[in-house]
Amino acid sequence: MKRIPEPELMDDLEQARAYAEADFEESNSLFVRLFQEHFPDEKPKLFLDLGCGPADITIRLARIYPDAVFHAVDGSEAMLLFAKKGILDASLGKRIKLIKAFIPEDPLPVRHYDALISNSLLHHLKSPHALWKTITEHCRPEAPVLVMDLLRPESPEKAREIVNRYSASEPEILRRDFFNSLCASYTIDEVEKQLGLFGLEGLKVKQVSDRHLAVWGRL
Ligand SMILES: C[S@@+](CC[C@H](N)C(=O)[O-])C[C@H]1O[C@@H](n2cnc3c(N)ncnc32)[C@H](O)[C@@H]1O
């Protein structure tokens, strides 16, 4: 099916609450596992998490890398409210700094990060170049990069099936957003083309679940 874009920021309070309270155990632990598998010996000191949302992945990684500091960036005030609560509950306020910024326009506090992570941001962006541009500009050479996102299904019917399989008991607002996100996401071919345009062909793209793709490698 043809891609149907969705709004860029998740800045409605109820939308952010539904997302922050949803069960993303399977996909968020997959993200963390992929980072560890692809970069087993890496101990980055400073991570950049783009589109951190409620920061669940940031918190999981902060527990695994106890010497690391994280800059967690999101353009939505509502999402950052939930992220702040999660970080305080996890007593990680000293190591996870929340930054309200809209990429790629807003400046980030550090020029070059040791590692870059981003989950489920790509399909939200008005232009995917916002992500690839930020990655090329803000990573130190050889920095590990892991981007995971939804993978666009063949049809709206397949998207509906996925929503029913994984979010049957979630609130309607989350089911609506999940459906819209699936329709807004990219295919592997499309992501490979985006990488080519930014000279990022060195990064690999692969399907990693029935509804996710991952992009990883070193800059
Ligand atoms: C689907 S959520 C993913 C949150 C988190 N990474 C996770 O995996 O749970 C996407 C987030 O990206 C944020 N976002 C979208 N476009 C953005 C932009 N241009 N700059 C900064 N944040 C953006 C949204 O506000 C939202 O919180």
Side-chain angles (χ1 to χ4, degrees):
M1 72 168 149
K2 203 164 168 290
R3 174 171 188 264
I4 307 166
E6 68 170 339
E8 198 155 5
L9 293 182
M10 295 177 70
D11 49 7
D12 172 80
L13 192 63
E14 286 320 306
Q15 175 189 42
R17 185 193 310 282
Y19 192 89
E21 290 175 355
D23 179 6
F24 287 114
E25 169 58 33
E26 191 191 329
S27 50
N28 290 0
S29 58
L30 170 64
F31 187 98
V32 169
R33 201 167 64 243
L34 288 174
F35 191 88
Q36 290 180 290
E37 277 172 16
H38 291 309
F39 309 109
D41 301 322
E42 199 75 33
K43 292 203 172 29
K45 287 266 182 267
L46 184 58
F47 278 80
L48 175 61
D49 183 355
L50 292 174
C52 65
D56 182 63
I57 288 178
T58 336
I59 291 169
R60 287 169 189 251
L61 283 167
R63 289 185 173 132
I64 291 170
Y65 298 95
D67 297 327
V69 167
F70 292 74
H71 284 184
V73 173
D74 205 288
S76 158
E77 193 72 57
M79 272 299 187
L80 290 173
L81 277 177
F82 291 100
K84 188 172 177 188
K85 180 174 181 315
I87 290 164
L88 287 180
D89 289 350
S91 305
L92 285 167
K94 289 212 171 84
R95 290 198 294 119
I96 304 181
K97 181 181 163 65
L98 289 174
I99 297 163
K100 182 168 186 276
F102 185 79
I103 68 150
E105 283 91 341
D106 290 342
L108 298 177
V110 171
R111 182 67 208 267
H112 290 131
Y113 287 84
D114 296 329
L116 186 135
I117 53 169
S118 182
N119 184 53
S120 269
L121 168 68
L122 179 63
H123 70 267
H124 273 280
L125 299 168
K126 202 175 332 162
S127 165
H129 299 167
L131 175 61
W132 309 123
K133 178 178 181 320
T134 307
I135 288 179
T136 49
E137 289 178 357
H138 281 283
C139 285
R140 66 153 169 78
E142 292 295 304
V145 170
L146 175 62
V147 172
M148 194 167 95
D149 210 301
L150 293 168
L151 181 61
R152 191 164 80 247
E154 286 160 20
S155 63
E157 293 70 33
K158 291 264 183 226
R160 184 60 63 201
E161 266 175 46
I162 292 174
V163 172
N164 290 338
R165 191 173 322 137
Y166 293 104
S167 304
S169 54
E170 297 287 1
E172 192 45 41
I173 193 168
L174 190 87
R175 290 166 52 79
R176 177 206 69 188
D177 280 354
F178 187 18
F179 179 80
N180 290 342
S181 290
L182 285 163
C183 297
S185 59
Y186 293 97
T187 63
I188 288 184
D189 281 355
E190 288 166 346
V191 173
E192 279 173 346
K193 281 198 188 105
Q194 293 166 16
L195 295 175
L197 282 174
F198 269 82
L200 292 170
E201 301 91 338
L203 300 183
K204 291 195 178 64
V205 189
K206 199 177 151 199
Q207 180 166 353
V208 291
S209 86
D210 61 349
R211 60 203 185 286
H212 295 101
L213 58 77
V215 180
W216 74 92
R218 289 178 186 279
L219 275 218

